[in-house]
Each structure stands twice: as structure tokens, then as C-alpha cells.
């Protein structure tokens, strides 16, 4: 009996080694632990990457650092496509292949002593990265409340949502914009003031998939495999609230009720199929041209290439 057990164990070990040898390691950068990157978490947790012969490492780094790492070849893809799109418009060889989040998922919050946006003049705004989606949304919400973000506020780069909340509670910043699920924790546990709701009409590319032009040209099949994995996971996200919430709770280390609320309050901000409409692309590029100080918007084809996503959607029956 012991001999049978040892033989079975040896076969299992050899099989696992064989599978590991057949998988190709890829590195995908995400800028924070949030629902913006839920497709990548699901692809990893449910084995969609493995099904495509991939061993995917999800590496959390700031969006600015991730963009530089993508161009240098240190990572294979980015999940944070907002800054990637703006970097492409600034001349870096990057293509956005898919967009999951196309609406802002940031709520403006402050320390309890501030009761209105107008009281924030002269304070510090915590941001994830300069000119990233979170920064731009925070600026819009501040401006709508009568505060000039260029003159009345000092922006301080902190990092992702959990570090932003920690900095707010510690007092090194007085205002920030938080995304789910951190906004739920900040509201319920720490009683921060929610000064402004997320603007539902604001086009803002957050989660998605971006690669270097070089990888798209030279490693097309690898890119397709990564894209197929995340597309299967994105379909899973739309079709499975409970299971998706459980995965979100696991990756963000939060309780299930908070994860469920996060799922429900965020759904409006996600595309149905990973592709932006032509109207959204046009609006986004005009907004970015203004942010970047460009005389004219950059042509869409320089920044976005949804052809691979469209092909995979057809393969999987996604409309």
C-alpha cells in the first residue's frame, strides 16, 4: 500500500513539474488592490491564465513606474490603462487593447473636520499618481466645489487606495479620492466625510489591458493568450456576482458584505465587452489633450487597438 502511495505521489509530482514546464511566465502590473483589476484577479484565481498556458504574476506598482517598466520590458502588460493611454499620447510606444473601467470610480473624501469642499483650500490632496485617473477625477470634483486644484491644493503622491486612506487618517493629507472597496471601509469604519459622489458622466479609463507596441508586434500570440484569459474572466465578472465578490474579498482582504456592496456600486463603471465606443474614445482623447497641453487630440489609432479584443469576443460569443 505504501509503495502504491509513493508511486502515486511520484506521478503527481512529475505531472506538476511537467505542467509548470509547459506554462509561460508573464508579469502584469496593477496599480492597487481594487475592483478596477477584477478581471485579472479572476483570471488568476479561476485558472483562466493557466488554461492558456500562462503562469501570471500580478505585480502591484504605481502606474507611473508600471508604464516605465512596460516600455523597458520588465513587465509584459499593464492593468492600469488610464496613465498608459496618456503616456501613449505623450509619445511612448504603448497600445491599449482593452478597457474594463470606463467611468470614474472615485469618491472625494476628507478628514471629519472638513464639512465642505470650499474649506479645503490650503490643504494636501493625496493622489495615486500625477495625471492618473484618480488625480483627474479628484481635480474635477474639487473644481466643481469651488476649489482650484492648481492653486488652492497641494497634490501629494501616496500610492493606491489603502495607503491613501492611511495617510488621510494619519493627517499627512486632508483630502483624497477613494475607490471601492476602500471607500466603503473609510465610510463605515473610519467615518470619513464623503464630500462628492463619483461623476457618472466622466469618461475615465482605469482598468483594462495595455502592452508595449513591441510586444504586440513580436509576441502577438502571447498577447492573445493573455487577452483570452482576461476576457473569459471579464465575462465571469459580469455573470457571477457572488463568486466575483468572494474573489474580490480574497484579494482585497475584506469581508464578503463589503465586497458585495463594492461589486454593486461599481458595475455602472464597467464596459460590457472591453471595448470603448467611438464617442467615448473621442471624448477621452479631447480630455487628455487638454490635460497634457496638446494642441490637438492624438489620433485614436495611436493609442487604442481593439482588434484583438474584437476577435476574442467573437470567439467567445461576447457582443
Amino acid at each position: 500500500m505504501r509503495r502504491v502511495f509513493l508511486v502515486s505521489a511520484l506521478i503527481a509530482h512529475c505531472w506538476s513539474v511537467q505542467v509548470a514546464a509547459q506554462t509561460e511566465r508573464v508579469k502584469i502590473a496593477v496599480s492597487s488592490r481594487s475592483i478596477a483589476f477584477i478581471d485579472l484577479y479572476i483570471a488568476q484565481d479561476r485558472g483562466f491564465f493557466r488554461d492558456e498556458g500562462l503562469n501570471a504574476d500580478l505585480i502591484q506598482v504605481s502606474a507611473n513606474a508600471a508604464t516605465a517598466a512596460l516600455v523597458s520590458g520588465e513587465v509584459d502588460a499593464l492593468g492600469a490603462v488610464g496613465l498608459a493611454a496618456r503616456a501613449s499620447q505623450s509619445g511612448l510606444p504603448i497600445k491599449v487593447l482593452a478597457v474594463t473601467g470606463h467611468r470614474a470610480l472615485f469618491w472625494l473624501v476628507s478628514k471629519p473636520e472638513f464639512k465642505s469642499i470650499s474649506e479645503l483650500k490650503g490643504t494636501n490632496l493625496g493622489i495615486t499618481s500625477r495625471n492618473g485617473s484618480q488625480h483627474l477625477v479628484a481635480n474635477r470634483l474639487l473644481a466643481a466645489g469651488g476649489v482650484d486644484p492648481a492653486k488652492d491644493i497641494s497634490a501629494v503622491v501616496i500610492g493606491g487606495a489603502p495607503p491613501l486612506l492611511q495617510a488621510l487618517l494619519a493627517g499627512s493629507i486632508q483630502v483624497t479620492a477613494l475607490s471601492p472597496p476602500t471607500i466603503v471601509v473609510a465610510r463605515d469604519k473610519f467615518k470619513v466625510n464623503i464630500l462628492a459622489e463619483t461623476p457618472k458622466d466622466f469618461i475615465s479609463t482605469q482598468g483594462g489591458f495595455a502592452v508595449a507596441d513591441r510586444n504586440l508586434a513580436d509576441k502577438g500570440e502571447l498577447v492573445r493568450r493573455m487577452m483570452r484569459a482576461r476576457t473569459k474572466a471579464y465575462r465571469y465578472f459580469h455573470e457571477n456576482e457572488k463568486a466575483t465578490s468572494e474573489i474580490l474579498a480574497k484579494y482585497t482582504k475584506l469581508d464578503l458584505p463589503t465586497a458585495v456592496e463594492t461589486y454593486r456600486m461599481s458595475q455602472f463603471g464597467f464596459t460590457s465587452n472591453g471595448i470603448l465606443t467611438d464617442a467615448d474614445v473621442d471624448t477621452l482623447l479631447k480630455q487628455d489633450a487638454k490635460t497634457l497641453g496638446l494642441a490637438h487630440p492624438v489620433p485614436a489609432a495611436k493609442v487604442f487597438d481593439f482588434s484583438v479584443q474584437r476577435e476574442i469576443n467573437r470567439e467567445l460569443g461576447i457582443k
Side-chain angles (χ1 to χ4, degrees):
M1 186 70 177
R2 177 177 173 78
R3 182 178 297 174
V4 172
F5 173 78
L6 290 174
V7 171
S8 298
L10 179 61
I11 292 173
H13 173 72
C14 291
W15 174 254
S16 65
V17 170
Q18 182 180 2
V19 170
Q22 291 174 344
T23 59
E24 185 170 0
R25 187 184 182 195
V26 291
K27 298 178 181 179
I28 303 175
V30 298
S31 59
S32 66
R33 290 278 177 174
S34 76
I35 197 171
F37 310 110
I38 190 61
D39 57 319
L40 301 176
Y41 300 148
I42 293 172
Q44 187 178 63
D45 191 83
R46 288 296 186 262
F48 294 128
F49 282 127
R50 185 178 62 248
D51 292 346
E52 294 292 335
L54 301 173
N55 178 14
D57 287 338
L58 303 184
I59 303 169
Q60 185 175 334
V61 294
S62 72
N64 284 317
T67 302
L70 181 65
V71 174
S72 68
E74 295 175 65
V75 298
D76 299 289
L78 303 184
V81 300
L83 198 62
R86 285 183 284 280
S88 176
Q89 293 168 72
S90 298
L92 291 183
I94 295 173
K95 284 290 186 304
V96 174
L97 306 185
V99 174
T100 51
H102 69 143
R103 293 292 187 272
L105 291 176
F106 297 104
W107 284 252
L108 194 71
V109 301
S110 72
K111 296 274 286 181
E113 56 264 32
F114 297 98
K115 306 302 181 185
S116 67
I117 293 176
S118 61
E119 297 175 22
L120 293 170
K121 292 181 180 180
T123 62
N124 292 329
L125 166 69
I127 61 173
T128 300
S129 58
R130 293 194 183 277
N131 290 328
S133 300
Q134 183 261 3
H135 188 191
L136 297 178
V137 172
N139 282 352
R140 172 169 172 166
L141 294 174
L142 288 167
V147 172
D148 185 339
K151 298 177 180 178
D152 300 331
I153 291 280
S154 296
V156 181
V157 177
I158 301 293
L164 284 168
L165 176 56
Q166 292 171 10
L168 185 69
L169 298 175
S172 57
I173 60 174
Q174 291 71 47
V175 59
T176 189
L178 296 178
S179 59
T182 308
I183 182 63
V184 179
V185 176
R187 180 198 67 198
D188 295 348
K189 184 176 181 179
F190 298 106
K191 310 303 178 185
V192 301
N193 283 342
I194 298 180
L195 297 177
E197 296 285 330
T198 184
K200 290 184 172 58
D201 64 333
F202 186 69
I203 306 299
S204 174
T205 49
Q206 297 180 59
F209 202 78
V211 299
D213 289 353
R214 179 182 61 252
N215 279 358
L216 191 57
D218 300 339
K219 299 181 180 180
E221 183 53 33
L222 176 63
V223 170
R224 284 183 60 85
R225 286 155 58 199
M226 289 190 286
M227 287 283 287
R228 273 197 298 266
R230 66 144 301 277
T231 302
K232 293 174 186 176
Y234 197 45
R235 178 173 61 186
Y236 188 98
F237 159 75
H238 281 297
E239 296 177 351
N240 297 276
E241 176 184 296
K242 183 176 183 295
T244 294
S245 299
E246 290 170 350
I247 294 170
L248 182 63
K250 173 183 174 180
Y251 277 80
T252 56
K253 295 180 171 57
L254 292 172
D255 60 90
L256 185 56
T258 298
V260 171
E261 182 176 0
T262 296
Y263 180 96
R264 292 174 178 173
M265 72 190 298
S266 303
Q267 267 200 308
F268 79 89
F270 287 84
T271 62
S272 62
N273 58 7
I275 297 172
L276 291 178
T277 65
D278 291 343
D280 279 357
V281 168
D282 183 63
T283 298
L284 182 71
L285 293 176
K286 287 178 179 177
Q287 288 175 175
D288 285 352
K290 184 177 180 180
T291 299
L292 297 170
L294 304 177
H296 304 285
V298 171
K302 184 181 186 305
V303 183
F304 299 99
D305 183 351
F306 295 125
S307 61
V308 176
Q309 185 66 72
R310 288 192 175 95
E311 290 175 10
I312 294 172
N313 285 351
R314 284 195 295 270
E315 290 173 13
L316 299 178
I318 298 172
K319 296 181 179 180

